[in-house]
mmCIF file of all heavy atoms in Angstrom:
data_model
loop_
_atom_site.group_PDB
_atom_site.id
_atom_site.type_symbol
_atom_site.label_atom_id
_atom_site.label_comp_id
_atom_site.label_asym_id
_atom_site.label_seq_id
_atom_site.Cartn_x
_atom_site.Cartn_y
_atom_site.Cartn_z
ATOM 1 N N ARG N 173 122.762 219.791 138.348
ATOM 2 C CA ARG N 173 121.587 219.093 137.818
ATOM 3 C C ARG N 173 121.346 217.798 138.576
ATOM 4 O O ARG N 173 120.207 217.380 138.765
ATOM 5 C CB ARG N 173 121.765 218.788 136.331
ATOM 6 C CG ARG N 173 121.676 219.995 135.408
ATOM 7 C CD ARG N 173 120.279 220.634 135.404
ATOM 8 N NE ARG N 173 119.175 219.713 135.263
ATOM 9 C CZ ARG N 173 118.732 219.224 134.120
ATOM 10 N NH1 ARG N 173 119.298 219.563 132.989
ATOM 11 N NH2 ARG N 173 117.694 218.387 134.107
ATOM 12 N N GLN N 201 109.848 218.441 144.472
ATOM 13 C CA GLN N 201 108.932 217.500 143.825
ATOM 14 C C GLN N 201 109.329 216.072 144.173
ATOM 15 O O GLN N 201 110.463 215.649 143.951
ATOM 16 C CB GLN N 201 108.933 217.685 142.300
ATOM 17 C CG GLN N 201 107.892 216.841 141.589
ATOM 18 C CD GLN N 201 107.890 217.053 140.088
ATOM 19 O OE1 GLN N 201 108.939 217.214 139.456
ATOM 20 N NE2 GLN N 201 106.709 217.086 139.483
ATOM 21 N N PHE N 255 113.226 222.422 142.394
ATOM 22 C CA PHE N 255 113.074 223.383 141.298
ATOM 23 C C PHE N 255 113.137 224.806 141.828
ATOM 24 O O PHE N 255 112.602 225.121 142.887
ATOM 25 C CB PHE N 255 111.729 223.195 140.587
ATOM 26 C CG PHE N 255 111.643 221.957 139.758
ATOM 27 C CD1 PHE N 255 110.951 220.850 140.205
ATOM 28 C CD2 PHE N 255 112.243 221.900 138.511
ATOM 29 C CE1 PHE N 255 110.866 219.702 139.441
ATOM 30 C CE2 PHE N 255 112.169 220.759 137.740
ATOM 31 C CZ PHE N 255 111.482 219.663 138.207
ATOM 32 N N ARG N 259 109.746 235.035 138.504
ATOM 33 C CA ARG N 259 108.771 235.818 137.758
ATOM 34 C C ARG N 259 109.028 237.292 138.038
ATOM 35 O O ARG N 259 109.710 237.664 138.994
ATOM 36 C CB ARG N 259 107.346 235.457 138.149
ATOM 37 C CG ARG N 259 106.933 235.956 139.515
ATOM 38 C CD ARG N 259 105.494 235.651 139.840
ATOM 39 N NE ARG N 259 105.081 236.267 141.089
ATOM 40 C CZ ARG N 259 103.928 236.044 141.699
ATOM 41 N NH1 ARG N 259 103.061 235.222 141.175
ATOM 42 N NH2 ARG N 259 103.626 236.647 142.819
ATOM 43 N N SER N 264 102.241 240.993 137.019
ATOM 44 C CA SER N 264 102.262 239.551 136.771
ATOM 45 C C SER N 264 100.879 238.940 136.917
ATOM 46 O O SER N 264 100.076 239.353 137.743
ATOM 47 C CB SER N 264 103.223 238.893 137.751
ATOM 48 O OG SER N 264 103.135 237.492 137.664
ATOM 49 N N THR N 265 100.616 237.925 136.098
ATOM 50 C CA THR N 265 99.398 237.140 136.265
ATOM 51 C C THR N 265 99.663 235.940 137.150
ATOM 52 O O THR N 265 98.767 235.133 137.371
ATOM 53 C CB THR N 265 98.900 236.648 134.899
ATOM 54 O OG1 THR N 265 99.945 235.882 134.277
ATOM 55 C CG2 THR N 265 98.515 237.812 134.000
ATOM 56 N N GLU N 267 102.257 233.801 136.503
ATOM 57 C CA GLU N 267 103.018 232.817 135.739
ATOM 58 C C GLU N 267 104.448 232.707 136.244
ATOM 59 O O GLU N 267 105.126 233.707 136.481
ATOM 60 C CB GLU N 267 103.041 233.228 134.269
ATOM 61 C CG GLU N 267 103.862 232.342 133.368
ATOM 62 C CD GLU N 267 103.884 232.886 131.955
ATOM 63 O OE1 GLU N 267 103.077 233.780 131.639
ATOM 64 O OE2 GLU N 267 104.729 232.425 131.161
ATOM 65 N N LEU N 268 104.898 231.475 136.418
ATOM 66 C CA LEU N 268 106.252 231.195 136.861
ATOM 67 C C LEU N 268 107.070 230.594 135.733
ATOM 68 O O LEU N 268 106.546 229.874 134.889
ATOM 69 C CB LEU N 268 106.245 230.221 138.033
ATOM 70 C CG LEU N 268 105.645 230.731 139.343
ATOM 71 C CD1 LEU N 268 105.619 229.615 140.373
ATOM 72 C CD2 LEU N 268 106.435 231.904 139.863
ATOM 73 N N GLY N 271 113.302 226.445 136.308
ATOM 74 C CA GLY N 271 114.562 225.856 135.883
ATOM 75 C C GLY N 271 114.382 224.374 135.606
ATOM 76 O O GLY N 271 113.292 223.823 135.759
ATOM 77 N N ARG N 275 118.320 217.245 140.813
ATOM 78 C CA ARG N 275 117.885 215.955 141.355
ATOM 79 C C ARG N 275 118.847 215.543 142.450
ATOM 80 O O ARG N 275 120.025 215.324 142.196
ATOM 81 C CB ARG N 275 117.850 214.889 140.261
ATOM 82 C CG ARG N 275 117.370 213.521 140.754
ATOM 83 C CD ARG N 275 117.246 212.529 139.622
ATOM 84 N NE ARG N 275 116.225 212.919 138.685
ATOM 85 C CZ ARG N 275 114.926 212.659 138.815
ATOM 86 N NH1 ARG N 275 114.512 211.974 139.885
ATOM 87 N NH2 ARG N 275 114.063 213.039 137.908
ATOM 88 N N TYR K 138 93.220 233.607 137.333
ATOM 89 C CA TYR K 138 94.049 233.321 136.182
ATOM 90 C C TYR K 138 94.307 231.810 136.229
ATOM 91 O O TYR K 138 94.528 231.256 137.298
ATOM 92 C CB TYR K 138 95.385 234.062 136.233
ATOM 93 C CG TYR K 138 95.279 235.566 136.200
ATOM 94 C CD1 TYR K 138 95.983 236.353 137.103
ATOM 95 C CD2 TYR K 138 94.489 236.210 135.248
ATOM 96 C CE1 TYR K 138 95.908 237.740 137.076
ATOM 97 C CE2 TYR K 138 94.402 237.587 135.219
ATOM 98 C CZ TYR K 138 95.112 238.360 136.132
ATOM 99 O OH TYR K 138 95.036 239.720 136.100
ATOM 100 N N TYR K 142 100.650 223.703 132.768
ATOM 101 C CA TYR K 142 102.078 223.486 132.576
ATOM 102 C C TYR K 142 102.295 222.038 132.144
ATOM 103 O O TYR K 142 101.543 221.146 132.544
ATOM 104 C CB TYR K 142 102.855 223.716 133.872
ATOM 105 C CG TYR K 142 103.107 225.162 134.219
ATOM 106 C CD1 TYR K 142 102.132 225.933 134.838
ATOM 107 C CD2 TYR K 142 104.339 225.751 133.938
ATOM 108 C CE1 TYR K 142 102.379 227.258 135.173
ATOM 109 C CE2 TYR K 142 104.594 227.083 134.271
ATOM 110 C CZ TYR K 142 103.603 227.819 134.884
ATOM 111 O OH TYR K 142 103.858 229.131 135.205
ATOM 112 N N GLN K 144 105.359 218.958 131.983
ATOM 113 C CA GLN K 144 106.689 218.548 132.447
ATOM 114 C C GLN K 144 107.085 217.264 131.733
ATOM 115 O O GLN K 144 106.499 216.203 131.986
ATOM 116 C CB GLN K 144 106.704 218.340 133.964
ATOM 117 C CG GLN K 144 108.084 217.994 134.498
ATOM 118 C CD GLN K 144 108.094 217.768 136.003
ATOM 119 O OE1 GLN K 144 107.080 217.388 136.600
ATOM 120 N NE2 GLN K 144 109.229 218.010 136.631
ATOM 121 N N ASN K 147 112.518 214.366 133.263
ATOM 122 C CA ASN K 147 113.810 214.963 133.639
ATOM 123 C C ASN K 147 113.930 216.430 133.224
ATOM 124 O O ASN K 147 115.048 216.914 132.988
ATOM 125 C CB ASN K 147 114.965 214.159 133.045
ATOM 126 C CG ASN K 147 114.957 212.725 133.540
ATOM 127 O OD1 ASN K 147 114.784 212.471 134.721
ATOM 128 N ND2 ASN K 147 115.094 211.787 132.621
ATOM 129 N N LEU K 152 105.314 226.367 130.527
ATOM 130 C CA LEU K 152 103.962 226.853 130.342
ATOM 131 C C LEU K 152 103.408 226.378 129.001
ATOM 132 O O LEU K 152 104.024 226.561 127.957
ATOM 133 C CB LEU K 152 103.934 228.382 130.390
ATOM 134 C CG LEU K 152 102.541 228.998 130.305
ATOM 135 C CD1 LEU K 152 101.744 228.682 131.575
ATOM 136 C CD2 LEU K 152 102.636 230.511 130.106
ATOM 137 N N LYS K 155 97.687 229.769 129.022
ATOM 138 C CA LYS K 155 97.155 230.447 130.196
ATOM 139 C C LYS K 155 95.900 231.224 129.831
ATOM 140 O O LYS K 155 95.733 231.702 128.698
ATOM 141 C CB LYS K 155 98.195 231.386 130.811
ATOM 142 C CG LYS K 155 98.605 232.543 129.933
ATOM 143 C CD LYS K 155 99.652 233.397 130.658
ATOM 144 C CE LYS K 155 100.138 234.539 129.778
ATOM 145 N NZ LYS K 155 101.180 235.357 130.474
ATOM 146 N N SER K 200 95.893 231.211 139.889
ATOM 147 C CA SER K 200 96.284 232.328 140.729
ATOM 148 C C SER K 200 95.104 233.292 140.754
ATOM 149 O O SER K 200 94.270 233.291 139.844
ATOM 150 C CB SER K 200 97.552 233.021 140.232
ATOM 151 O OG SER K 200 97.300 233.778 139.068
ATOM 152 N N GLY K 205 98.881 239.538 145.276
ATOM 153 C CA GLY K 205 99.828 238.455 145.490
ATOM 154 C C GLY K 205 100.032 237.573 144.288
ATOM 155 O O GLY K 205 101.145 237.197 143.966
ATOM 156 N N ASN K 206 98.924 237.229 143.627
ATOM 157 C CA ASN K 206 98.997 236.375 142.446
ATOM 158 C C ASN K 206 99.823 235.136 142.684
ATOM 159 O O ASN K 206 100.639 234.743 141.851
ATOM 160 C CB ASN K 206 99.568 237.132 141.247
ATOM 161 C CG ASN K 206 98.507 237.974 140.581
ATOM 162 O OD1 ASN K 206 97.320 237.721 140.716
ATOM 163 N ND2 ASN K 206 98.921 238.981 139.867
#
Side-chain angles (χ1 to χ4, degrees):
Chain N
R173 288 295 313 277
Q201 186 179 38
F255 288 103
R259 73 177 186 188
S264 172
T265 57
E267 177 183 347
L268 293 176
R275 181 175 295 276
Chain K
Y138 297 132
Y142 281 81
Q144 183 181 27
N147 300 315
L152 184 68
K155 65 180 177 181
S200 73
N206 279 338

